[in-house]
């Protein structure tokens, strides 16, 4: 498979998972929060100072619809991760040296 | 497995923060050897996929869920040092933008899922490919088993931190049993996803899978003799 086609396909799969698939994710507590609940240390959790973020808890402030808000938050988050990590890796990578 | 603020006391959080900073600096140095013009774009997409995969909670049993941590997956796809950076970017974005995982707990989460998840996943993978048949078909199952092991080890590492700096007085043996037990089950999901994704990419672009590079025969230089008329034979 050609490079560009492969990379675009991989990106599309990731954004589909974050933007569409995530709506169907299980809403049960994950392993850690479940164990915190059953063994009794759940109450020691504090609210994150980032709870005021417009994307807190994978929703978009002002968007009422769960499917739309969650999907948007997933796509925005995915794009932010892509931009930050690609930028970082472009700086860190070995460059071809032309002499 | 995102640890919220408050589970661990301030000294423990400062210590894991320092561990994370040291780990990230080592990873920045090591990733240079793993990344070039061809693999750097792939590594950015690996981070994006891990972010997406961490949103897909799958039901486990009895009202519990788990999600991909992605340490073994990222290490096999992009290389272990690059994987630490992938996980760190994902965890920083989740913590600051999504309020998923605490802010003072960021060092703890990078230590558990970035350093330990990636490190254990990669070491198990490397150990397995050393003993399995030297074929590219060994890469996906080795990655899956690395993934399976990495999750309960990261969970046990949390309990170790909790035993040092836990803010709530609870029975540690119960926490350890429950954490490791549930995370073995979550690890099975981690193994399935990791094996599937690594297997799919190995089948179309094995050259972009860091952990599969040694199985790809380097194209050999062909020696041709040129005849006087300029043709090759």
């Amino acid at each position: 498979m050609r490079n560009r086609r492969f990379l675009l396909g991989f990106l599309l799969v990731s954004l589909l998972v974050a933007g569409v698939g995530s709506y169907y994710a299980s809403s049960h507590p994950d392993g850690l929060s479940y164990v915190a609940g059953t063994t009794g240390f759940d109450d020691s959790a504090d609210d994150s100072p980032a709870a005021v973020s417009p994307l807190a808890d994978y929703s978009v402030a002002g968007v009422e619809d769960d499917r739309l808000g969650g999907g948007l938050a997933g796509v925005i988050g995915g794009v932010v991760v892509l931009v930050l990590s690609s930028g970082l890796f472009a700086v860190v990578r070995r460059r071809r040296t032309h002499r | 497995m995102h640890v919220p603020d408050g589970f661990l006391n301030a000294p423990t959080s400062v210590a894991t923060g320092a561990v994370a900073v040291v780990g990230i600096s080592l990873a920045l140095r090591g990733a240079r050897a793993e990344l070039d013009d061809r693999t750097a774009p792939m590594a950015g997409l690996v981070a994006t996929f891990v972010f997406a995969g961490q949103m897909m909670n799958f039901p486990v049993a009895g009202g519990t869920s788990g999600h991909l941590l992605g340490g073994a997956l990222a290490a096999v796809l992009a290389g272990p040092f690059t994987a630490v950076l992938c996980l760190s970017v994902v965890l920083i974005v989740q913590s600051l933008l999504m309020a998923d995982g605490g802010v003072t707990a960021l060092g703890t989460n990078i230590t558990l899922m970035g350093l330990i998840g990636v490190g254990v996943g990669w070491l198990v993978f490397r150990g397995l490919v050393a003993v399995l048949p030297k074929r590219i078909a060994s890469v996906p199952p080795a990655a899956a088993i690395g993934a399976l092991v990495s999750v309960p080890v990261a969970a046990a590492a949390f309990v170790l931190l909790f035993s040092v700096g836990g803010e709530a007085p609870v029975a540690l043996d119960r926490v350890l049993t429950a954490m490791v037990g549930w995370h073995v089950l979550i690890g099975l999901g981690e193994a399935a996803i990791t094996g599937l994704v690594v297997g799919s990419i190995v089948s179309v672009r094995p050259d972009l899978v860091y952990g599969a590079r040694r199985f790809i025969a380097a194209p050999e230089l062909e020696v041709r003799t040129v005849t006087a008329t300029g043709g090759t034979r």
Side-chain angles (χ1 to χ4, degrees), chain A residues 1 3 14 21 26 28-31 39 44 46 50 53 57-58 73 93-94, chain B residues 1 5-6 32 35 37 51-52 56-57 63 65 95 97-98 100 170 174 205:
Chain A
M1 207 182 286
N3 216 31
S14 304
S26 167
H28 290 308
D30 73 2
T39 58
S44 64
D46 298 328
S53 157
D57 297 325
Y58 300 90
R93 79 183 197 278
R94 281 167 298 154
Chain B
M1 195 187 297
D5 288 338
R32 200 172 157 73
L35 295 166
D37 290 341
F51 174 84
M56 279 308 292
N57 280 61
S65 74
S95 166
L97 229 50
M98 272 68 188
D100 185 14
V170 295
R174 279 185 63 212
R205 286 299 300 270

PDB file of all heavy atoms in Angstrom, chain A residues 1 3 14 21 26 28-31 39 44 46 50 53 57-58 73 93-94, chain B residues 1 5-6 32 35 37 51-52 56-57 63 65 95 97-98 100 170 174 205:
ATOM      1  N   MET A   1       0.842  -1.197   0.000  1.00  0.00           N
ATOM      2  CA  MET A   1       0.000   0.000   0.000  1.00  0.00           C
ATOM      3  C   MET A   1       0.875   1.246   0.000  1.00  0.00           C
ATOM      4  O   MET A   1       1.898   1.274   0.675  1.00  0.00           O
ATOM      5  CB  MET A   1      -0.899  -0.010   1.246  1.00  0.00           C
ATOM      6  CG  MET A   1      -2.190   0.747   1.053  1.00  0.00           C
ATOM      7  SD  MET A   1      -3.187   0.767   2.556  1.00  0.00           S
ATOM      8  CE  MET A   1      -3.809  -0.891   2.603  1.00  0.00           C
ATOM      9  N   ASN A   3       2.349   4.884   0.741  1.00  0.00           N
ATOM     10  CA  ASN A   3       2.528   5.530   2.031  1.00  0.00           C
ATOM     11  C   ASN A   3       1.370   6.450   2.398  1.00  0.00           C
ATOM     12  O   ASN A   3       0.784   6.347   3.459  1.00  0.00           O
ATOM     13  CB  ASN A   3       3.846   6.314   1.999  1.00  0.00           C
ATOM     14  CG  ASN A   3       4.545   6.257   3.337  1.00  0.00           C
ATOM     15  OD1 ASN A   3       4.422   5.271   4.053  1.00  0.00           O
ATOM     16  ND2 ASN A   3       5.253   7.297   3.675  1.00  0.00           N
ATOM     17  N   SER A  14      -8.663   6.046  13.155  1.00  0.00           N
ATOM     18  CA  SER A  14      -8.540   6.626  14.496  1.00  0.00           C
ATOM     19  C   SER A  14      -9.634   7.656  14.754  1.00  0.00           C
ATOM     20  O   SER A  14     -10.264   7.665  15.820  1.00  0.00           O
ATOM     21  CB  SER A  14      -7.167   7.296  14.663  1.00  0.00           C
ATOM     22  OG  SER A  14      -6.140   6.379  14.403  1.00  0.00           O
ATOM     23  N   GLY A  21     -17.253   5.723  17.047  1.00  0.00           N
ATOM     24  CA  GLY A  21     -17.252   4.497  17.845  1.00  0.00           C
ATOM     25  C   GLY A  21     -17.394   4.759  19.330  1.00  0.00           C
ATOM     26  O   GLY A  21     -18.062   4.012  20.052  1.00  0.00           O
ATOM     27  N   SER A  26     -18.498   1.332  26.494  1.00  0.00           N
ATOM     28  CA  SER A  26     -19.170   0.998  27.752  1.00  0.00           C
ATOM     29  C   SER A  26     -19.071   2.165  28.720  1.00  0.00           C
ATOM     30  O   SER A  26     -18.039   2.821  28.831  1.00  0.00           O
ATOM     31  CB  SER A  26     -18.510  -0.238  28.362  1.00  0.00           C
ATOM     32  OG  SER A  26     -18.936  -0.386  29.706  1.00  0.00           O
ATOM     33  N   HIS A  28     -19.662   1.755  31.940  1.00  0.00           N
ATOM     34  CA  HIS A  28     -19.339   1.230  33.275  1.00  0.00           C
ATOM     35  C   HIS A  28     -18.019   1.822  33.752  1.00  0.00           C
ATOM     36  O   HIS A  28     -17.169   2.189  32.941  1.00  0.00           O
ATOM     37  CB  HIS A  28     -19.216  -0.303  33.227  1.00  0.00           C
ATOM     38  CG  HIS A  28     -20.527  -1.006  33.016  1.00  0.00           C
ATOM     39  ND1 HIS A  28     -21.630  -0.752  33.797  1.00  0.00           N
ATOM     40  CD2 HIS A  28     -20.907  -1.934  32.109  1.00  0.00           C
ATOM     41  CE1 HIS A  28     -22.636  -1.513  33.384  1.00  0.00           C
ATOM     42  NE2 HIS A  28     -22.230  -2.236  32.343  1.00  0.00           N
ATOM     43  N   PRO A  29     -17.819   1.907  35.084  1.00  0.00           N
ATOM     44  CA  PRO A  29     -16.539   2.407  35.593  1.00  0.00           C
ATOM     45  C   PRO A  29     -15.397   1.495  35.135  1.00  0.00           C
ATOM     46  O   PRO A  29     -15.600   0.296  34.981  1.00  0.00           O
ATOM     47  CB  PRO A  29     -16.708   2.350  37.110  1.00  0.00           C
ATOM     48  CG  PRO A  29     -17.810   1.380  37.354  1.00  0.00           C
ATOM     49  CD  PRO A  29     -18.720   1.498  36.171  1.00  0.00           C
ATOM     50  N   ASP A  30     -14.214   2.071  34.907  1.00  0.00           N
ATOM     51  CA  ASP A  30     -13.086   1.234  34.493  1.00  0.00           C
ATOM     52  C   ASP A  30     -12.527   0.487  35.709  1.00  0.00           C
ATOM     53  O   ASP A  30     -12.996   0.683  36.836  1.00  0.00           O
ATOM     54  CB  ASP A  30     -12.022   2.047  33.745  1.00  0.00           C
ATOM     55  CG  ASP A  30     -11.211   2.958  34.654  1.00  0.00           C
ATOM     56  OD1 ASP A  30     -11.426   2.952  35.887  1.00  0.00           O
ATOM     57  OD2 ASP A  30     -10.357   3.683  34.125  1.00  0.00           O
ATOM     58  N   GLY A  31     -11.563  -0.381  35.457  1.00  0.00           N
ATOM     59  CA  GLY A  31     -11.047  -1.247  36.522  1.00  0.00           C
ATOM     60  C   GLY A  31     -10.682  -0.485  37.780  1.00  0.00           C
ATOM     61  O   GLY A  31     -11.083  -0.852  38.883  1.00  0.00           O
ATOM     62  N   THR A  39     -13.455  -1.206  47.272  1.00  0.00           N
ATOM     63  CA  THR A  39     -12.572  -1.308  48.426  1.00  0.00           C
ATOM     64  C   THR A  39     -12.598  -0.046  49.281  1.00  0.00           C
ATOM     65  O   THR A  39     -12.015  -0.017  50.359  1.00  0.00           O
ATOM     66  CB  THR A  39     -11.113  -1.605  48.008  1.00  0.00           C
ATOM     67  OG1 THR A  39     -10.679  -0.572  47.126  1.00  0.00           O
ATOM     68  CG2 THR A  39     -10.995  -2.945  47.305  1.00  0.00           C
ATOM     69  N   SER A  44     -11.661   9.511  48.135  1.00  0.00           N
ATOM     70  CA  SER A  44     -10.473  10.347  48.268  1.00  0.00           C
ATOM     71  C   SER A  44     -10.141  11.081  46.969  1.00  0.00           C
ATOM     72  O   SER A  44      -9.247  11.927  46.935  1.00  0.00           O
ATOM     73  CB  SER A  44      -9.271   9.511  48.735  1.00  0.00           C
ATOM     74  OG  SER A  44      -8.927   8.532  47.778  1.00  0.00           O
ATOM     75  N   ASP A  46     -10.242  13.819  44.153  1.00  0.00           N
ATOM     76  CA  ASP A  46     -10.611  15.234  44.064  1.00  0.00           C
ATOM     77  C   ASP A  46     -10.983  15.562  42.632  1.00  0.00           C
ATOM     78  O   ASP A  46     -10.513  14.906  41.698  1.00  0.00           O
ATOM     79  CB  ASP A  46      -9.430  16.122  44.470  1.00  0.00           C
ATOM     80  CG  ASP A  46      -9.012  15.893  45.911  1.00  0.00           C
ATOM     81  OD1 ASP A  46      -9.902  15.583  46.726  1.00  0.00           O
ATOM     82  OD2 ASP A  46      -7.803  16.012  46.201  1.00  0.00           O
ATOM     83  N   ALA A  50      -8.811  20.769  35.812  1.00  0.00           N
ATOM     84  CA  ALA A  50      -9.139  20.900  34.391  1.00  0.00           C
ATOM     85  C   ALA A  50     -10.620  20.663  34.126  1.00  0.00           C
ATOM     86  O   ALA A  50     -11.056  20.698  32.975  1.00  0.00           O
ATOM     87  CB  ALA A  50      -8.297  19.928  33.571  1.00  0.00           C
ATOM     88  N   SER A  53     -12.441  22.880  31.758  1.00  0.00           N
ATOM     89  CA  SER A  53     -12.150  22.868  30.321  1.00  0.00           C
ATOM     90  C   SER A  53     -13.429  22.670  29.517  1.00  0.00           C
ATOM     91  O   SER A  53     -14.313  21.907  29.913  1.00  0.00           O
ATOM     92  CB  SER A  53     -11.170  21.733  30.016  1.00  0.00           C
ATOM     93  OG  SER A  53     -11.261  21.346  28.655  1.00  0.00           O
ATOM     94  N   ASP A  57     -14.542  15.823  30.396  1.00  0.00           N
ATOM     95  CA  ASP A  57     -15.325  14.585  30.358  1.00  0.00           C
ATOM     96  C   ASP A  57     -15.777  14.228  28.946  1.00  0.00           C
ATOM     97  O   ASP A  57     -16.847  13.652  28.750  1.00  0.00           O
ATOM     98  CB  ASP A  57     -16.538  14.668  31.299  1.00  0.00           C
ATOM     99  CG  ASP A  57     -16.098  14.810  32.743  1.00  0.00           C
ATOM    100  OD1 ASP A  57     -15.069  14.214  33.102  1.00  0.00           O
ATOM    101  OD2 ASP A  57     -16.770  15.538  33.497  1.00  0.00           O
ATOM    102  N   TYR A  58     -14.958  14.533  27.960  1.00  0.00           N
ATOM    103  CA  TYR A  58     -15.245  14.162  26.575  1.00  0.00           C
ATOM    104  C   TYR A  58     -16.621  14.645  26.109  1.00  0.00           C
ATOM    105  O   TYR A  58     -17.398  13.902  25.509  1.00  0.00           O
ATOM    106  CB  TYR A  58     -15.125  12.644  26.371  1.00  0.00           C
ATOM    107  CG  TYR A  58     -13.748  12.118  26.698  1.00  0.00           C
ATOM    108  CD1 TYR A  58     -13.424  11.692  27.975  1.00  0.00           C
ATOM    109  CD2 TYR A  58     -12.757  12.075  25.719  1.00  0.00           C
ATOM    110  CE1 TYR A  58     -12.155  11.228  28.280  1.00  0.00           C
ATOM    111  CE2 TYR A  58     -11.488  11.618  26.014  1.00  0.00           C
ATOM    112  CZ  TYR A  58     -11.197  11.185  27.294  1.00  0.00           C
ATOM    113  OH  TYR A  58      -9.944  10.737  27.589  1.00  0.00           O
ATOM    114  N   ALA A  73     -15.780  16.055  20.708  1.00  0.00           N
ATOM    115  CA  ALA A  73     -14.684  16.081  21.682  1.00  0.00           C
ATOM    116  C   ALA A  73     -13.623  15.053  21.294  1.00  0.00           C
ATOM    117  O   ALA A  73     -12.418  15.329  21.375  1.00  0.00           O
ATOM    118  CB  ALA A  73     -15.209  15.801  23.086  1.00  0.00           C
ATOM    119  N   ARG A  93      13.185  13.727  15.191  1.00  0.00           N
ATOM    120  CA  ARG A  93      13.672  12.745  14.201  1.00  0.00           C
ATOM    121  C   ARG A  93      15.049  13.117  13.644  1.00  0.00           C
ATOM    122  O   ARG A  93      15.472  14.266  13.691  1.00  0.00           O
ATOM    123  CB  ARG A  93      12.682  12.627  13.048  1.00  0.00           C
ATOM    124  CG  ARG A  93      12.800  13.752  12.038  1.00  0.00           C
ATOM    125  CD  ARG A  93      11.746  13.621  10.970  1.00  0.00           C
ATOM    126  NE  ARG A  93      12.073  14.425   9.804  1.00  0.00           N
ATOM    127  CZ  ARG A  93      11.838  15.722   9.694  1.00  0.00           C
ATOM    128  NH1 ARG A  93      11.298  16.384  10.700  1.00  0.00           N
ATOM    129  NH2 ARG A  93      12.146  16.380   8.598  1.00  0.00           N
ATOM    130  N   ARG A  94      15.702  12.066  13.112  1.00  0.00           N
ATOM    131  CA  ARG A  94      16.960  12.312  12.413  1.00  0.00           C
ATOM    132  C   ARG A  94      16.638  12.899  11.058  1.00  0.00           C
ATOM    133  O   ARG A  94      15.803  12.364  10.325  1.00  0.00           O
ATOM    134  CB  ARG A  94      17.719  10.992  12.200  1.00  0.00           C
ATOM    135  CG  ARG A  94      18.456  10.503  13.408  1.00  0.00           C
ATOM    136  CD  ARG A  94      18.870   9.076  13.159  1.00  0.00           C
ATOM    137  NE  ARG A  94      17.683   8.242  12.980  1.00  0.00           N
ATOM    138  CZ  ARG A  94      17.658   7.119  12.294  1.00  0.00           C
ATOM    139  NH1 ARG A  94      18.728   6.695  11.700  1.00  0.00           N
ATOM    140  NH2 ARG A  94      16.550   6.411  12.198  1.00  0.00           N
TER     141      ARG A  94
ATOM    142  N   MET B   1      -7.426   3.290  33.429  1.00  0.00           N
ATOM    143  CA  MET B   1      -6.608   3.271  34.640  1.00  0.00           C
ATOM    144  C   MET B   1      -6.140   4.675  35.020  1.00  0.00           C
ATOM    145  O   MET B   1      -5.163   4.835  35.727  1.00  0.00           O
ATOM    146  CB  MET B   1      -5.399   2.371  34.408  1.00  0.00           C
ATOM    147  CG  MET B   1      -4.689   1.998  35.687  1.00  0.00           C
ATOM    148  SD  MET B   1      -3.186   1.117  35.380  1.00  0.00           S
ATOM    149  CE  MET B   1      -3.778  -0.352  34.583  1.00  0.00           C
ATOM    150  N   ASP B   5      -6.796  13.056  40.758  1.00  0.00           N
ATOM    151  CA  ASP B   5      -6.132  13.748  41.863  1.00  0.00           C
ATOM    152  C   ASP B   5      -6.712  13.239  43.174  1.00  0.00           C
ATOM    153  O   ASP B   5      -7.895  12.891  43.252  1.00  0.00           O
ATOM    154  CB  ASP B   5      -6.364  15.261  41.750  1.00  0.00           C
ATOM    155  CG  ASP B   5      -5.560  15.857  40.600  1.00  0.00           C
ATOM    156  OD1 ASP B   5      -4.557  15.240  40.197  1.00  0.00           O
ATOM    157  OD2 ASP B   5      -5.945  16.937  40.108  1.00  0.00           O
ATOM    158  N   GLY B   6      -5.890  13.182  44.206  1.00  0.00           N
ATOM    159  CA  GLY B   6      -6.392  12.862  45.539  1.00  0.00           C
ATOM    160  C   GLY B   6      -6.163  11.439  45.991  1.00  0.00           C
ATOM    161  O   GLY B   6      -6.111  11.184  47.186  1.00  0.00           O
ATOM    162  N   ARG B  32      15.246   9.515  19.038  1.00  0.00           N
ATOM    163  CA  ARG B  32      15.965  10.037  17.876  1.00  0.00           C
ATOM    164  C   ARG B  32      16.433   8.905  16.958  1.00  0.00           C
ATOM    165  O   ARG B  32      16.413   9.032  15.733  1.00  0.00           O
ATOM    166  CB  ARG B  32      17.159  10.841  18.376  1.00  0.00           C
ATOM    167  CG  ARG B  32      17.691  11.797  17.379  1.00  0.00           C
ATOM    168  CD  ARG B  32      18.734  12.689  18.011  1.00  0.00           C
ATOM    169  NE  ARG B  32      19.598  13.213  16.969  1.00  0.00           N
ATOM    170  CZ  ARG B  32      19.234  14.143  16.102  1.00  0.00           C
ATOM    171  NH1 ARG B  32      18.025  14.673  16.191  1.00  0.00           N
ATOM    172  NH2 ARG B  32      20.051  14.556  15.165  1.00  0.00           N
ATOM    173  N   LEU B  35      13.243   7.412  14.995  1.00  0.00           N
ATOM    174  CA  LEU B  35      12.445   8.258  14.108  1.00  0.00           C
ATOM    175  C   LEU B  35      13.284   8.809  12.963  1.00  0.00           C
ATOM    176  O   LEU B  35      14.363   9.345  13.179  1.00  0.00           O
ATOM    177  CB  LEU B  35      11.854   9.428  14.905  1.00  0.00           C
ATOM    178  CG  LEU B  35      10.836   9.054  15.984  1.00  0.00           C
ATOM    179  CD1 LEU B  35      10.601  10.238  16.913  1.00  0.00           C
ATOM    180  CD2 LEU B  35       9.537   8.609  15.353  1.00  0.00           C
ATOM    181  N   ASP B  37      12.596  10.412   8.603  1.00  0.00           N
ATOM    182  CA  ASP B  37      11.592  11.088   7.777  1.00  0.00           C
ATOM    183  C   ASP B  37      10.404  10.181   7.450  1.00  0.00           C
ATOM    184  O   ASP B  37       9.285  10.647   7.247  1.00  0.00           O
ATOM    185  CB  ASP B  37      12.233  11.553   6.454  1.00  0.00           C
ATOM    186  CG  ASP B  37      13.203  12.699   6.687  1.00  0.00           C
ATOM    187  OD1 ASP B  37      13.103  13.331   7.753  1.00  0.00           O
ATOM    188  OD2 ASP B  37      14.052  12.953   5.821  1.00  0.00           O
ATOM    189  N   PHE B  51      -4.950   7.490  21.527  1.00  0.00           N
ATOM    190  CA  PHE B  51      -5.957   8.393  22.117  1.00  0.00           C
ATOM    191  C   PHE B  51      -7.363   7.869  21.813  1.00  0.00           C
ATOM    192  O   PHE B  51      -8.223   7.778  22.697  1.00  0.00           O
ATOM    193  CB  PHE B  51      -5.779   9.816  21.569  1.00  0.00           C
ATOM    194  CG  PHE B  51      -6.857  10.758  22.007  1.00  0.00           C
ATOM    195  CD1 PHE B  51      -6.785  11.392  23.241  1.00  0.00           C
ATOM    196  CD2 PHE B  51      -7.974  11.008  21.208  1.00  0.00           C
ATOM    197  CE1 PHE B  51      -7.793  12.243  23.674  1.00  0.00           C
ATOM    198  CE2 PHE B  51      -8.989  11.854  21.623  1.00  0.00           C
ATOM    199  CZ  PHE B  51      -8.894  12.479  22.860  1.00  0.00           C
ATOM    200  N   ALA B  52      -7.598   7.524  20.544  1.00  0.00           N
ATOM    201  CA  ALA B  52      -8.925   7.038  20.140  1.00  0.00           C
ATOM    202  C   ALA B  52      -9.243   5.726  20.849  1.00  0.00           C
ATOM    203  O   ALA B  52     -10.342   5.549  21.394  1.00  0.00           O
ATOM    204  CB  ALA B  52      -8.961   6.851  18.621  1.00  0.00           C
ATOM    205  N   MET B  56     -12.490   3.954  23.789  1.00  0.00           N
ATOM    206  CA  MET B  56     -13.397   2.825  23.540  1.00  0.00           C
ATOM    207  C   MET B  56     -13.419   1.866  24.729  1.00  0.00           C
ATOM    208  O   MET B  56     -12.794   0.816  24.701  1.00  0.00           O
ATOM    209  CB  MET B  56     -12.947   2.051  22.296  1.00  0.00           C
ATOM    210  CG  MET B  56     -13.355   2.652  20.972  1.00  0.00           C
ATOM    211  SD  MET B  56     -15.108   3.021  20.810  1.00  0.00           S
ATOM    212  CE  MET B  56     -15.843   1.400  20.794  1.00  0.00           C
ATOM    213  N   ASN B  57     -14.131   2.237  25.782  1.00  0.00           N
ATOM    214  CA  ASN B  57     -14.252   1.314  26.914  1.00  0.00           C
ATOM    215  C   ASN B  57     -15.050   0.095  26.486  1.00  0.00           C
ATOM    216  O   ASN B  57     -16.110   0.226  25.883  1.00  0.00           O
ATOM    217  CB  ASN B  57     -14.953   1.998  28.079  1.00  0.00           C
ATOM    218  CG  ASN B  57     -14.015   2.890  28.860  1.00  0.00           C
ATOM    219  OD1 ASN B  57     -13.469   3.851  28.285  1.00  0.00           O
ATOM    220  ND2 ASN B  57     -13.802   2.590  30.117  1.00  0.00           N
ATOM    221  N   GLY B  63     -20.319  -5.208  35.605  1.00  0.00           N
ATOM    222  CA  GLY B  63     -20.433  -3.762  35.701  1.00  0.00           C
ATOM    223  C   GLY B  63     -19.113  -3.021  35.660  1.00  0.00           C
ATOM    224  O   GLY B  63     -19.026  -1.870  36.074  1.00  0.00           O
ATOM    225  N   SER B  65     -15.606  -1.914  33.231  1.00  0.00           N
ATOM    226  CA  SER B  65     -15.144  -1.786  31.853  1.00  0.00           C
ATOM    227  C   SER B  65     -13.638  -1.582  31.845  1.00  0.00           C
ATOM    228  O   SER B  65     -13.025  -1.358  32.885  1.00  0.00           O
ATOM    229  CB  SER B  65     -15.841  -0.607  31.151  1.00  0.00           C
ATOM    230  OG  SER B  65     -15.320   0.619  31.615  1.00  0.00           O
ATOM    231  N   SER B  95      -5.472  14.802  30.355  1.00  0.00           N
ATOM    232  CA  SER B  95      -5.513  15.420  31.676  1.00  0.00           C
ATOM    233  C   SER B  95      -5.927  16.888  31.593  1.00  0.00           C
ATOM    234  O   SER B  95      -6.789  17.338  32.344  1.00  0.00           O
ATOM    235  CB  SER B  95      -4.134  15.295  32.331  1.00  0.00           C
ATOM    236  OG  SER B  95      -4.049  16.154  33.445  1.00  0.00           O
ATOM    237  N   LEU B  97      -7.127  18.736  28.820  1.00  0.00           N
ATOM    238  CA  LEU B  97      -8.257  19.121  27.963  1.00  0.00           C
ATOM    239  C   LEU B  97      -9.539  18.397  28.364  1.00  0.00           C
ATOM    240  O   LEU B  97     -10.619  18.971  28.365  1.00  0.00           O
ATOM    241  CB  LEU B  97      -7.902  18.789  26.505  1.00  0.00           C
ATOM    242  CG  LEU B  97      -8.118  19.862  25.437  1.00  0.00           C
ATOM    243  CD1 LEU B  97      -7.504  21.174  25.867  1.00  0.00           C
ATOM    244  CD2 LEU B  97      -7.516  19.411  24.109  1.00  0.00           C
ATOM    245  N   MET B  98      -9.421  17.088  28.686  1.00  0.00           N
ATOM    246  CA  MET B  98     -10.608  16.282  28.934  1.00  0.00           C
ATOM    247  C   MET B  98     -10.867  16.059  30.425  1.00  0.00           C
ATOM    248  O   MET B  98     -11.860  15.431  30.770  1.00  0.00           O
ATOM    249  CB  MET B  98     -10.444  14.912  28.271  1.00  0.00           C
ATOM    250  CG  MET B  98     -10.913  14.846  26.839  1.00  0.00           C
ATOM    251  SD  MET B  98      -9.908  15.791  25.709  1.00  0.00           S
ATOM    252  CE  MET B  98     -10.912  15.648  24.232  1.00  0.00           C
ATOM    253  N   ASP B 100      -9.496  13.974  32.147  1.00  0.00           N
ATOM    254  CA  ASP B 100      -9.468  12.516  32.317  1.00  0.00           C
ATOM    255  C   ASP B 100      -8.118  12.166  32.934  1.00  0.00           C
ATOM    256  O   ASP B 100      -7.085  12.262  32.284  1.00  0.00           O
ATOM    257  CB  ASP B 100      -9.635  11.844  30.948  1.00  0.00           C
ATOM    258  CG  ASP B 100      -9.730  10.326  31.053  1.00  0.00           C
ATOM    259  OD1 ASP B 100      -9.931   9.814  32.177  1.00  0.00           O
ATOM    260  OD2 ASP B 100      -9.603   9.660  30.012  1.00  0.00           O
ATOM    261  N   VAL B 170      -7.394   1.773  53.551  1.00  0.00           N
ATOM    262  CA  VAL B 170      -8.131   0.576  53.127  1.00  0.00           C
ATOM    263  C   VAL B 170      -7.173  -0.622  53.129  1.00  0.00           C
ATOM    264  O   VAL B 170      -5.963  -0.459  53.134  1.00  0.00           O
ATOM    265  CB  VAL B 170      -8.754   0.744  51.720  1.00  0.00           C
ATOM    266  CG1 VAL B 170      -9.808   1.822  51.717  1.00  0.00           C
ATOM    267  CG2 VAL B 170      -7.693   1.059  50.688  1.00  0.00           C
ATOM    268  N   ARG B 174      -6.654  -6.447  49.674  1.00  0.00           N
ATOM    269  CA  ARG B 174      -7.898  -6.479  48.882  1.00  0.00           C
ATOM    270  C   ARG B 174      -7.751  -5.630  47.631  1.00  0.00           C
ATOM    271  O   ARG B 174      -8.211  -6.000  46.548  1.00  0.00           O
ATOM    272  CB  ARG B 174      -9.075  -5.958  49.723  1.00  0.00           C
ATOM    273  CG  ARG B 174      -9.653  -7.011  50.668  1.00  0.00           C
ATOM    274  CD  ARG B 174     -10.887  -6.457  51.369  1.00  0.00           C
ATOM    275  NE  ARG B 174     -11.954  -6.141  50.437  1.00  0.00           N
ATOM    276  CZ  ARG B 174     -12.828  -5.142  50.610  1.00  0.00           C
ATOM    277  NH1 ARG B 174     -12.744  -4.371  51.672  1.00  0.00           N
ATOM    278  NH2 ARG B 174     -13.776  -4.934  49.738  1.00  0.00           N
ATOM    279  N   ARG B 205       1.790  -3.089   5.671  1.00  0.00           N
ATOM    280  CA  ARG B 205       3.019  -2.295   5.659  1.00  0.00           C
ATOM    281  C   ARG B 205       3.973  -2.754   6.769  1.00  0.00           C
ATOM    282  O   ARG B 205       4.202  -2.012   7.731  1.00  0.00           O
ATOM    283  CB  ARG B 205       2.683  -0.801   5.834  1.00  0.00           C
ATOM    284  CG  ARG B 205       2.069  -0.143   4.606  1.00  0.00           C
ATOM    285  CD  ARG B 205       2.983  -0.175   3.382  1.00  0.00           C
ATOM    286  NE  ARG B 205       4.243   0.502   3.606  1.00  0.00           N
ATOM    287  CZ  ARG B 205       4.442   1.801   3.359  1.00  0.00           C
ATOM    288  NH1 ARG B 205       3.478   2.550   2.883  1.00  0.00           N
ATOM    289  NH2 ARG B 205       5.620   2.337   3.579  1.00  0.00           N
TER     290      ARG B 205
END
